[in-house]
Amino acid sequence: MSGAFIVIEGLEGAGKSTVIGAVSEYIKNKGHDVLCTREPGGTPMAEAIRDCVKQDWSTEEVTQETELLLMYAARSQLVHNVIKPAINQGQYVVGDRHNLSSLAYQGGGRQVPDLTMSQLKTMTLGSFSPNFTLYLDIEPILGLSRARGRGELDRIEMAGIAFFERARERYLAEIKTMQQQDAYSAAIIDASQDVDSVRESVLNSLDAWYSEFHHASRS
Ligand code: Z5A
């Protein structure tokens, strides 16, 4: 039996790392093997790309094309070497970020043209996409203040607030489109709530998706 790919998305400080354990526990309790991934990262080469992308290259400008291509290079490594093989073996993969992050940050935030975004997606992923996306929605000001409370901001986190506003708008627009195509493909969680309430909302949405997914795969 084939597994599934669940992705957690959101701006920095939305709480993705905080809820991923609860998502993973839920799936394990249903009797499945779970593998957690993060993007960019998740293979030796993709982790090296992650370090490269997050670093502040103070002596040279990082062009938006470089940033974009590095995100897709890391994703290609991860999907080919880890995610697809795991799903084919029946595992459930829980991803901390995936392609929607590129649409939001590079497409929305950096304003890379839609045609470039869709060509890169087609080249790298073909028709591969998550079975379910949990989007943790948060005002950038609140998310960044949580991220700041954790320590120094990285290169991308230092982009201005307008960048994150555009990223959030793109997230919301993409999720709306996904839900119009398939009501069970994505859920929006109000991530400004306290940790326990966010976790409860996430698990309720996950439970609704899981029931539907299993019902559909049995019928
Ligand atoms: N990026 C990109 O541009 N394009 C792409 O295609 C991809 C990524 C894949 C990855 O960095 C960077 O790459 C990211 C997007 C970009 N950069 N930016 N900017 P990362 O993986 O290091 O960063 P992140 O994914 O944004 O992780 P994060 O900042 O750690 O966010 P988080 O995982 O959603 O939050 P958290 O670690 O769970 O929580 C942050 C803090 O808030 C922590 O102290 C928690 O205790 C606290 N927290 C969490 N939830 C709550 C609630 N509900 N209330 C109060 N406090 C909370």
Side-chain angles (χ1 to χ4, degrees):
M1 195 178 110
S2 163
F5 185 29
I6 299 164
V7 172
I8 307 174
E9 287 279 2
L11 296 178
E12 4 296 309
K16 299 178 296 298
S17 313
T18 305
V19 299
I20 200 166
V23 170
S24 161
E25 272 312 301
Y26 173 96
I27 298 294
K28 278 184 194 155
N29 288 337
K30 295 287 181 188
H32 304 287
D33 285 341
V34 178
L35 177 73
C36 292
T37 59
R38 69 172 181 181
E39 293 193 29
T43 77
M45 187 172 176
E47 286 293 323
I49 295 173
R50 178 187 178 88
D51 291 343
C52 202
V53 158
K54 292 182 68 128
Q55 199 171 322
D56 180 13
W57 295 90
S58 50
T59 55
E60 69 182 89
E61 185 189 346
V62 178
T63 69
Q64 65 177 33
E65 290 78 13
T66 298
E67 182 180 271
L68 175 69
L69 291 169
L70 287 173
M71 294 298 176
Y72 276 95
R75 183 163 302 129
S76 178
Q77 289 304 112
L78 180 68
V79 169
H80 178 80
N81 291 296
V82 177
I83 298 180
K84 278 186 177 173
I87 293 172
N88 289 339
Q89 284 167 16
Q91 284 185 293
Y92 275 57
V93 179
V94 181
D96 183 340
R97 297 191 179 280
H98 184 58
N99 192 56
L100 203 49
S101 287
S102 293
L103 292 179
Y105 286 79
Q106 281 67 51
R110 304 272 189 235
Q111 300 177 297
V112 173
D114 291 351
L115 181 62
T116 308
M117 297 304 301
S118 72
Q119 284 172 331
L120 269 173
K121 179 189 180 286
T122 303
M123 184 181 91
T124 315
L125 302 173
S127 60
F128 179 77
S129 63
N131 297 90
F132 183 50
T133 300
L134 279 158
Y135 168 59
L136 306 191
D137 183 49
I138 196 157
E139 295 270 355
I141 294 269
L142 178 54
L144 285 169
S145 79
R146 286 182 189 167
R148 236 176 243 121
R150 207 187 33 193
E152 290 289 295
L153 298 182
D154 65 30
R155 189 182 59 79
I156 298 175
E157 285 167 346
M158 286 186 291
I161 199 75
F163 168 90
F164 291 101
E165 295 286 4
R166 287 196 298 275
R168 183 186 184 209
E169 262 174 46
R170 181 61 68 93
Y171 262 132
L172 288 166
E174 293 289 338
I175 294 283
K176 195 172 159 196
T177 304
M178 287 163 72
Q179 288 177 327
Q180 279 164 352
Q181 286 163 0
D182 173 1
Y184 285 95
S185 63
I188 300 179
I189 307 296
D190 175 3
S192 67
Q193 306 171 91
D194 61 61
V195 173
D196 288 342
S197 307
V198 171
R199 190 182 295 114
E200 192 184 334
S201 305
V202 160
L203 292 177
N204 286 340
S205 295
L206 182 62
D207 194 49
W209 167 77
Y210 184 86
S211 304
E212 173 61 23
F213 184 65
H214 273 259
H215 177 73
S217 54
R218 274 199 305 267
S219 54

